[in-house]
Amino acid sequence: MARLRLVSLNRIVTIVLVICLLSSSSPAAPKTIVVIAEKQRTSWAFWYHSSGMSKFLQGLAVPLIQPQERQSERDAKVVRLEIYPSNVTVDLAERVRFVAVGYDRDGNAVGGVTVRWTAESSTPTQRAPISRHGEFRPVGPVYSR
């Protein structure tokens, strides 16, 4: 733990020294640093909150490394599956990639769910090919009456 703190302290000192050198080496450097900092503010704020660093620094630390969820556990959370695009017309020369989004019982999206794609043709003699990644390619026209 002490080594980790030493490494972090060394990185902080290095960053501060680089900023000091850049800001004093040319007259335009401070303005450049301010412009870069303004552009990166949103990115830094997102990282700060999403990484758990804000809770860690406030003393409410959740473990930064959580055990990996098993695929079967993730798949079991899904209670509803929606397919996008839901209603589409495809020309013969086009391909459509369908995406399935799984939702848990609270309506939250569940990422990384295993989906096995199958497609049925409206005509019994035609096949409806769809890849394991959800890409559909029509093989012939379908006429509806």
Side-chain angles (χ1 to χ4, degrees), residues 100-130:
V101 179
Y103 294 94
D104 65 8
R105 61 187 169 118
D106 298 324
N108 300 318
V110 179
V113 176
T114 304
V115 177
R116 188 174 55 204
W117 292 97
T118 59
E120 295 179 8
S121 175
S122 61
T123 308
T125 58
Q126 283 186 317
R127 43 180 217 131
I130 190 165

PDB file of all heavy atoms in Angstrom, residues 100-130:
ATOM      1  N   ALA A 100     -30.386  -6.471 -30.228  1.00  0.00           N
ATOM      2  CA  ALA A 100     -31.292  -6.863 -29.154  1.00  0.00           C
ATOM      3  C   ALA A 100     -30.814  -6.221 -27.856  1.00  0.00           C
ATOM      4  O   ALA A 100     -29.641  -6.277 -27.525  1.00  0.00           O
ATOM      5  CB  ALA A 100     -31.311  -8.376 -29.006  1.00  0.00           C
ATOM      6  N   VAL A 101     -31.748  -5.605 -27.146  1.00  0.00           N
ATOM      7  CA  VAL A 101     -31.442  -4.983 -25.858  1.00  0.00           C
ATOM      8  C   VAL A 101     -32.280  -5.679 -24.797  1.00  0.00           C
ATOM      9  O   VAL A 101     -33.513  -5.722 -24.894  1.00  0.00           O
ATOM     10  CB  VAL A 101     -31.753  -3.468 -25.868  1.00  0.00           C
ATOM     11  CG1 VAL A 101     -31.443  -2.849 -24.524  1.00  0.00           C
ATOM     12  CG2 VAL A 101     -30.975  -2.775 -26.972  1.00  0.00           C
ATOM     13  N   GLY A 102     -31.601  -6.229 -23.806  1.00  0.00           N
ATOM     14  CA  GLY A 102     -32.290  -6.904 -22.717  1.00  0.00           C
ATOM     15  C   GLY A 102     -32.512  -5.957 -21.551  1.00  0.00           C
ATOM     16  O   GLY A 102     -31.669  -5.106 -21.265  1.00  0.00           O
ATOM     17  N   TYR A 103     -33.657  -6.104 -20.887  1.00  0.00           N
ATOM     18  CA  TYR A 103     -33.995  -5.263 -19.740  1.00  0.00           C
ATOM     19  C   TYR A 103     -34.286  -6.141 -18.535  1.00  0.00           C
ATOM     20  O   TYR A 103     -34.882  -7.216 -18.667  1.00  0.00           O
ATOM     21  CB  TYR A 103     -35.223  -4.398 -20.055  1.00  0.00           C
ATOM     22  CG  TYR A 103     -34.963  -3.385 -21.136  1.00  0.00           C
ATOM     23  CD1 TYR A 103     -35.264  -3.663 -22.456  1.00  0.00           C
ATOM     24  CD2 TYR A 103     -34.413  -2.150 -20.832  1.00  0.00           C
ATOM     25  CE1 TYR A 103     -35.028  -2.733 -23.458  1.00  0.00           C
ATOM     26  CE2 TYR A 103     -34.173  -1.213 -21.831  1.00  0.00           C
ATOM     27  CZ  TYR A 103     -34.478  -1.510 -23.129  1.00  0.00           C
ATOM     28  OH  TYR A 103     -34.234  -0.594 -24.115  1.00  0.00           O
ATOM     29  N   ASP A 104     -33.885  -5.669 -17.349  1.00  0.00           N
ATOM     30  CA  ASP A 104     -34.177  -6.403 -16.126  1.00  0.00           C
ATOM     31  C   ASP A 104     -35.554  -6.034 -15.598  1.00  0.00           C
ATOM     32  O   ASP A 104     -36.283  -5.257 -16.209  1.00  0.00           O
ATOM     33  CB  ASP A 104     -33.088  -6.169 -15.071  1.00  0.00           C
ATOM     34  CG  ASP A 104     -33.004  -4.733 -14.592  1.00  0.00           C
ATOM     35  OD1 ASP A 104     -33.876  -3.916 -14.945  1.00  0.00           O
ATOM     36  OD2 ASP A 104     -32.053  -4.420 -13.842  1.00  0.00           O
ATOM     37  N   ARG A 105     -35.923  -6.548 -14.436  1.00  0.00           N
ATOM     38  CA  ARG A 105     -37.280  -6.325 -13.913  1.00  0.00           C
ATOM     39  C   ARG A 105     -37.538  -4.881 -13.531  1.00  0.00           C
ATOM     40  O   ARG A 105     -38.677  -4.444 -13.440  1.00  0.00           O
ATOM     41  CB  ARG A 105     -37.554  -7.235 -12.722  1.00  0.00           C
ATOM     42  CG  ARG A 105     -36.630  -7.002 -11.556  1.00  0.00           C
ATOM     43  CD  ARG A 105     -36.850  -8.062 -10.491  1.00  0.00           C
ATOM     44  NE  ARG A 105     -35.785  -7.957  -9.526  1.00  0.00           N
ATOM     45  CZ  ARG A 105     -35.963  -7.670  -8.263  1.00  0.00           C
ATOM     46  NH1 ARG A 105     -37.173  -7.483  -7.796  1.00  0.00           N
ATOM     47  NH2 ARG A 105     -34.929  -7.581  -7.460  1.00  0.00           N
ATOM     48  N   ASP A 106     -36.462  -4.093 -13.321  1.00  0.00           N
ATOM     49  CA  ASP A 106     -36.616  -2.678 -12.994  1.00  0.00           C
ATOM     50  C   ASP A 106     -36.612  -1.785 -14.233  1.00  0.00           C
ATOM     51  O   ASP A 106     -36.695  -0.568 -14.118  1.00  0.00           O
ATOM     52  CB  ASP A 106     -35.501  -2.232 -12.044  1.00  0.00           C
ATOM     53  CG  ASP A 106     -35.553  -2.974 -10.722  1.00  0.00           C
ATOM     54  OD1 ASP A 106     -36.665  -3.267 -10.250  1.00  0.00           O
ATOM     55  OD2 ASP A 106     -34.467  -3.258 -10.161  1.00  0.00           O
ATOM     56  N   GLY A 107     -36.475  -2.382 -15.411  1.00  0.00           N
ATOM     57  CA  GLY A 107     -36.461  -1.612 -16.651  1.00  0.00           C
ATOM     58  C   GLY A 107     -35.088  -1.099 -17.036  1.00  0.00           C
ATOM     59  O   GLY A 107     -34.957  -0.310 -17.965  1.00  0.00           O
ATOM     60  N   ASN A 108     -34.037  -1.540 -16.344  1.00  0.00           N
ATOM     61  CA  ASN A 108     -32.669  -1.130 -16.666  1.00  0.00           C
ATOM     62  C   ASN A 108     -32.098  -2.040 -17.747  1.00  0.00           C
ATOM     63  O   ASN A 108     -32.321  -3.261 -17.720  1.00  0.00           O
ATOM     64  CB  ASN A 108     -31.780  -1.205 -15.419  1.00  0.00           C
ATOM     65  CG  ASN A 108     -32.279  -0.312 -14.321  1.00  0.00           C
ATOM     66  OD1 ASN A 108     -32.690   0.820 -14.563  1.00  0.00           O
ATOM     67  ND2 ASN A 108     -32.271  -0.802 -13.096  1.00  0.00           N
ATOM     68  N   ALA A 109     -31.348  -1.460 -18.675  1.00  0.00           N
ATOM     69  CA  ALA A 109     -30.721  -2.254 -19.732  1.00  0.00           C
ATOM     70  C   ALA A 109     -29.636  -3.140 -19.137  1.00  0.00           C
ATOM     71  O   ALA A 109     -28.891  -2.732 -18.253  1.00  0.00           O
ATOM     72  CB  ALA A 109     -30.119  -1.340 -20.791  1.00  0.00           C
ATOM     73  N   VAL A 110     -29.560  -4.372 -19.620  1.00  0.00           N
ATOM     74  CA  VAL A 110     -28.546  -5.332 -19.183  1.00  0.00           C
ATOM     75  C   VAL A 110     -27.590  -5.530 -20.345  1.00  0.00           C
ATOM     76  O   VAL A 110     -27.993  -5.979 -21.417  1.00  0.00           O
ATOM     77  CB  VAL A 110     -29.183  -6.677 -18.776  1.00  0.00           C
ATOM     78  CG1 VAL A 110     -28.113  -7.666 -18.343  1.00  0.00           C
ATOM     79  CG2 VAL A 110     -30.211  -6.469 -17.674  1.00  0.00           C
ATOM     80  N   GLY A 111     -26.338  -5.174 -20.159  1.00  0.00           N
ATOM     81  CA  GLY A 111     -25.352  -5.291 -21.233  1.00  0.00           C
ATOM     82  C   GLY A 111     -24.718  -6.661 -21.296  1.00  0.00           C
ATOM     83  O   GLY A 111     -24.645  -7.389 -20.306  1.00  0.00           O
ATOM     84  N   GLY A 112     -24.236  -7.029 -22.480  1.00  0.00           N
ATOM     85  CA  GLY A 112     -23.490  -8.274 -22.648  1.00  0.00           C
ATOM     86  C   GLY A 112     -24.337  -9.522 -22.625  1.00  0.00           C
ATOM     87  O   GLY A 112     -23.854 -10.599 -22.310  1.00  0.00           O
ATOM     88  N   VAL A 113     -25.601  -9.409 -22.953  1.00  0.00           N
ATOM     89  CA  VAL A 113     -26.501 -10.552 -22.940  1.00  0.00           C
ATOM     90  C   VAL A 113     -26.271 -11.400 -24.190  1.00  0.00           C
ATOM     91  O   VAL A 113     -26.074 -10.879 -25.282  1.00  0.00           O
ATOM     92  CB  VAL A 113     -27.971 -10.075 -22.883  1.00  0.00           C
ATOM     93  CG1 VAL A 113     -28.935 -11.246 -22.980  1.00  0.00           C
ATOM     94  CG2 VAL A 113     -28.218  -9.279 -21.625  1.00  0.00           C
ATOM     95  N   THR A 114     -26.302 -12.707 -24.030  1.00  0.00           N
ATOM     96  CA  THR A 114     -26.142 -13.614 -25.158  1.00  0.00           C
ATOM     97  C   THR A 114     -27.459 -13.718 -25.919  1.00  0.00           C
ATOM     98  O   THR A 114     -28.501 -13.974 -25.327  1.00  0.00           O
ATOM     99  CB  THR A 114     -25.737 -15.020 -24.674  1.00  0.00           C
ATOM    100  OG1 THR A 114     -24.544 -14.910 -23.901  1.00  0.00           O
ATOM    101  CG2 THR A 114     -25.507 -15.950 -25.840  1.00  0.00           C
ATOM    102  N   VAL A 115     -27.394 -13.490 -27.236  1.00  0.00           N
ATOM    103  CA  VAL A 115     -28.587 -13.562 -28.084  1.00  0.00           C
ATOM    104  C   VAL A 115     -28.304 -14.551 -29.201  1.00  0.00           C
ATOM    105  O   VAL A 115     -27.263 -14.488 -29.850  1.00  0.00           O
ATOM    106  CB  VAL A 115     -28.935 -12.175 -28.672  1.00  0.00           C
ATOM    107  CG1 VAL A 115     -30.132 -12.280 -29.598  1.00  0.00           C
ATOM    108  CG2 VAL A 115     -29.191 -11.177 -27.570  1.00  0.00           C
ATOM    109  N   ARG A 116     -29.234 -15.468 -29.420  1.00  0.00           N
ATOM    110  CA  ARG A 116     -29.124 -16.410 -30.542  1.00  0.00           C
ATOM    111  C   ARG A 116     -30.178 -16.001 -31.563  1.00  0.00           C
ATOM    112  O   ARG A 116     -31.374 -16.049 -31.281  1.00  0.00           O
ATOM    113  CB  ARG A 116     -29.327 -17.838 -30.072  1.00  0.00           C
ATOM    114  CG  ARG A 116     -29.037 -18.838 -31.174  1.00  0.00           C
ATOM    115  CD  ARG A 116     -29.097 -20.247 -30.707  1.00  0.00           C
ATOM    116  NE  ARG A 116     -30.401 -20.497 -30.083  1.00  0.00           N
ATOM    117  CZ  ARG A 116     -30.606 -21.451 -29.189  1.00  0.00           C
ATOM    118  NH1 ARG A 116     -29.629 -22.219 -28.804  1.00  0.00           N
ATOM    119  NH2 ARG A 116     -31.824 -21.614 -28.672  1.00  0.00           N
ATOM    120  N   TRP A 117     -29.734 -15.591 -32.754  1.00  0.00           N
ATOM    121  CA  TRP A 117     -30.627 -15.048 -33.775  1.00  0.00           C
ATOM    122  C   TRP A 117     -31.161 -16.151 -34.672  1.00  0.00           C
ATOM    123  O   TRP A 117     -30.417 -17.017 -35.133  1.00  0.00           O
ATOM    124  CB  TRP A 117     -29.879 -14.030 -34.633  1.00  0.00           C
ATOM    125  CG  TRP A 117     -29.526 -12.794 -33.896  1.00  0.00           C
ATOM    126  CD1 TRP A 117     -28.335 -12.501 -33.305  1.00  0.00           C
ATOM    127  CD2 TRP A 117     -30.377 -11.673 -33.653  1.00  0.00           C
ATOM    128  NE1 TRP A 117     -28.393 -11.265 -32.710  1.00  0.00           N
ATOM    129  CE2 TRP A 117     -29.643 -10.735 -32.906  1.00  0.00           C
ATOM    130  CE3 TRP A 117     -31.683 -11.369 -33.983  1.00  0.00           C
ATOM    131  CZ2 TRP A 117     -30.170  -9.520 -32.509  1.00  0.00           C
ATOM    132  CZ3 TRP A 117     -32.213 -10.163 -33.583  1.00  0.00           C
ATOM    133  CH2 TRP A 117     -31.463  -9.249 -32.849  1.00  0.00           C
ATOM    134  N   THR A 118     -32.458 -16.080 -34.952  1.00  0.00           N
ATOM    135  CA  THR A 118     -33.090 -16.919 -35.973  1.00  0.00           C
ATOM    136  C   THR A 118     -34.091 -16.049 -36.718  1.00  0.00           C
ATOM    137  O   THR A 118     -34.595 -15.072 -36.171  1.00  0.00           O
ATOM    138  CB  THR A 118     -33.835 -18.133 -35.362  1.00  0.00           C
ATOM    139  OG1 THR A 118     -34.842 -17.662 -34.467  1.00  0.00           O
ATOM    140  CG2 THR A 118     -32.882 -19.064 -34.636  1.00  0.00           C
ATOM    141  N   ALA A 119     -34.347 -16.401 -37.971  1.00  0.00           N
ATOM    142  CA  ALA A 119     -35.305 -15.645 -38.782  1.00  0.00           C
ATOM    143  C   ALA A 119     -36.179 -16.625 -39.537  1.00  0.00           C
ATOM    144  O   ALA A 119     -35.731 -17.698 -39.936  1.00  0.00           O
ATOM    145  CB  ALA A 119     -34.571 -14.728 -39.752  1.00  0.00           C
ATOM    146  N   GLU A 120     -37.422 -16.245 -39.726  1.00  0.00           N
ATOM    147  CA  GLU A 120     -38.361 -17.072 -40.475  1.00  0.00           C
ATOM    148  C   GLU A 120     -38.841 -16.294 -41.687  1.00  0.00           C
ATOM    149  O   GLU A 120     -39.090 -15.098 -41.606  1.00  0.00           O
ATOM    150  CB  GLU A 120     -39.557 -17.435 -39.601  1.00  0.00           C
ATOM    151  CG  GLU A 120     -39.213 -18.312 -38.430  1.00  0.00           C
ATOM    152  CD  GLU A 120     -40.424 -18.641 -37.575  1.00  0.00           C
ATOM    153  OE1 GLU A 120     -41.553 -18.301 -37.982  1.00  0.00           O
ATOM    154  OE2 GLU A 120     -40.217 -19.214 -36.507  1.00  0.00           O
ATOM    155  N   SER A 121     -38.993 -16.981 -42.786  1.00  0.00           N
ATOM    156  CA  SER A 121     -39.498 -16.369 -44.010  1.00  0.00           C
ATOM    157  C   SER A 121     -41.021 -16.466 -44.034  1.00  0.00           C
ATOM    158  O   SER A 121     -41.602 -17.401 -43.484  1.00  0.00           O
ATOM    159  CB  SER A 121     -38.918 -17.086 -45.230  1.00  0.00           C
ATOM    160  OG  SER A 121     -39.492 -16.575 -46.405  1.00  0.00           O
ATOM    161  N   SER A 122     -41.643 -15.495 -44.684  1.00  0.00           N
ATOM    162  CA  SER A 122     -43.098 -15.554 -44.822  1.00  0.00           C
ATOM    163  C   SER A 122     -43.506 -16.563 -45.892  1.00  0.00           C
ATOM    164  O   SER A 122     -44.640 -17.005 -45.944  1.00  0.00           O
ATOM    165  CB  SER A 122     -43.652 -14.173 -45.152  1.00  0.00           C
ATOM    166  OG  SER A 122     -43.111 -13.724 -46.376  1.00  0.00           O
ATOM    167  N   THR A 123     -42.557 -16.927 -46.742  1.00  0.00           N
ATOM    168  CA  THR A 123     -42.800 -17.928 -47.774  1.00  0.00           C
ATOM    169  C   THR A 123     -42.130 -19.234 -47.345  1.00  0.00           C
ATOM    170  O   THR A 123     -40.931 -19.241 -47.062  1.00  0.00           O
ATOM    171  CB  THR A 123     -42.210 -17.473 -49.127  1.00  0.00           C
ATOM    172  OG1 THR A 123     -42.692 -16.164 -49.415  1.00  0.00           O
ATOM    173  CG2 THR A 123     -42.572 -18.424 -50.244  1.00  0.00           C
ATOM    174  N   PRO A 124     -42.860 -20.342 -47.306  1.00  0.00           N
ATOM    175  CA  PRO A 124     -42.274 -21.588 -46.790  1.00  0.00           C
ATOM    176  C   PRO A 124     -41.070 -22.092 -47.574  1.00  0.00           C
ATOM    177  O   PRO A 124     -40.202 -22.731 -47.012  1.00  0.00           O
ATOM    178  CB  PRO A 124     -43.425 -22.597 -46.878  1.00  0.00           C
ATOM    179  CG  PRO A 124     -44.659 -21.804 -47.058  1.00  0.00           C
ATOM    180  CD  PRO A 124     -44.260 -20.488 -47.650  1.00  0.00           C
ATOM    181  N   THR A 125     -40.990 -21.796 -48.883  1.00  0.00           N
ATOM    182  CA  THR A 125     -39.881 -22.320 -49.678  1.00  0.00           C
ATOM    183  C   THR A 125     -38.644 -21.438 -49.620  1.00  0.00           C
ATOM    184  O   THR A 125     -37.585 -21.838 -50.078  1.00  0.00           O
ATOM    185  CB  THR A 125     -40.310 -22.466 -51.150  1.00  0.00           C
ATOM    186  OG1 THR A 125     -40.725 -21.184 -51.626  1.00  0.00           O
ATOM    187  CG2 THR A 125     -41.433 -23.482 -51.285  1.00  0.00           C
ATOM    188  N   GLN A 126     -38.737 -20.244 -49.088  1.00  0.00           N
ATOM    189  CA  GLN A 126     -37.585 -19.351 -49.011  1.00  0.00           C
ATOM    190  C   GLN A 126     -36.964 -19.434 -47.620  1.00  0.00           C
ATOM    191  O   GLN A 126     -37.661 -19.577 -46.626  1.00  0.00           O
ATOM    192  CB  GLN A 126     -37.986 -17.898 -49.279  1.00  0.00           C
ATOM    193  CG  GLN A 126     -38.225 -17.584 -50.722  1.00  0.00           C
ATOM    194  CD  GLN A 126     -38.474 -16.099 -50.902  1.00  0.00           C
ATOM    195  OE1 GLN A 126     -39.196 -15.497 -50.124  1.00  0.00           O
ATOM    196  NE2 GLN A 126     -37.893 -15.531 -51.934  1.00  0.00           N
ATOM    197  N   ARG A 127     -35.673 -19.330 -47.603  1.00  0.00           N
ATOM    198  CA  ARG A 127     -35.006 -19.284 -46.310  1.00  0.00           C
ATOM    199  C   ARG A 127     -34.768 -17.826 -45.942  1.00  0.00           C
ATOM    200  O   ARG A 127     -34.759 -16.945 -46.800  1.00  0.00           O
ATOM    201  CB  ARG A 127     -33.688 -20.037 -46.312  1.00  0.00           C
ATOM    202  CG  ARG A 127     -32.861 -19.812 -47.525  1.00  0.00           C
ATOM    203  CD  ARG A 127     -31.556 -20.563 -47.540  1.00  0.00           C
ATOM    204  NE  ARG A 127     -30.618 -19.630 -48.181  1.00  0.00           N
ATOM    205  CZ  ARG A 127     -29.456 -19.306 -47.731  1.00  0.00           C
ATOM    206  NH1 ARG A 127     -28.993 -19.872 -46.656  1.00  0.00           N
ATOM    207  NH2 ARG A 127     -28.702 -18.439 -48.343  1.00  0.00           N
ATOM    208  N   ALA A 128     -34.580 -17.576 -44.675  1.00  0.00           N
ATOM    209  CA  ALA A 128     -34.347 -16.215 -44.186  1.00  0.00           C
ATOM    210  C   ALA A 128     -33.019 -16.210 -43.432  1.00  0.00           C
ATOM    211  O   ALA A 128     -32.964 -16.546 -42.255  1.00  0.00           O
ATOM    212  CB  ALA A 128     -35.489 -15.772 -43.277  1.00  0.00           C
ATOM    213  N   PRO A 129     -31.933 -15.874 -44.129  1.00  0.00           N
ATOM    214  CA  PRO A 129     -30.620 -15.942 -43.485  1.00  0.00           C
ATOM    215  C   PRO A 129     -30.358 -14.756 -42.548  1.00  0.00           C
ATOM    216  O   PRO A 129     -30.618 -13.610 -42.895  1.00  0.00           O
ATOM    217  CB  PRO A 129     -29.651 -15.918 -44.671  1.00  0.00           C
ATOM    218  CG  PRO A 129     -30.382 -15.157 -45.723  1.00  0.00           C
ATOM    219  CD  PRO A 129     -31.844 -15.467 -45.520  1.00  0.00           C
ATOM    220  N   ILE A 130     -29.860 -15.067 -41.382  1.00  0.00           N
ATOM    221  CA  ILE A 130     -29.448 -14.043 -40.436  1.00  0.00           C
ATOM    222  C   ILE A 130     -28.195 -14.559 -39.739  1.00  0.00           C
ATOM    223  O   ILE A 130     -28.111 -15.737 -39.386  1.00  0.00           O
ATOM    224  CB  ILE A 130     -30.578 -13.704 -39.429  1.00  0.00           C
ATOM    225  CG1 ILE A 130     -30.214 -12.462 -38.625  1.00  0.00           C
ATOM    226  CG2 ILE A 130     -30.912 -14.874 -38.546  1.00  0.00           C
ATOM    227  CD1 ILE A 130     -31.381 -11.837 -37.888  1.00  0.00           C
TER     228      ILE A 130
END
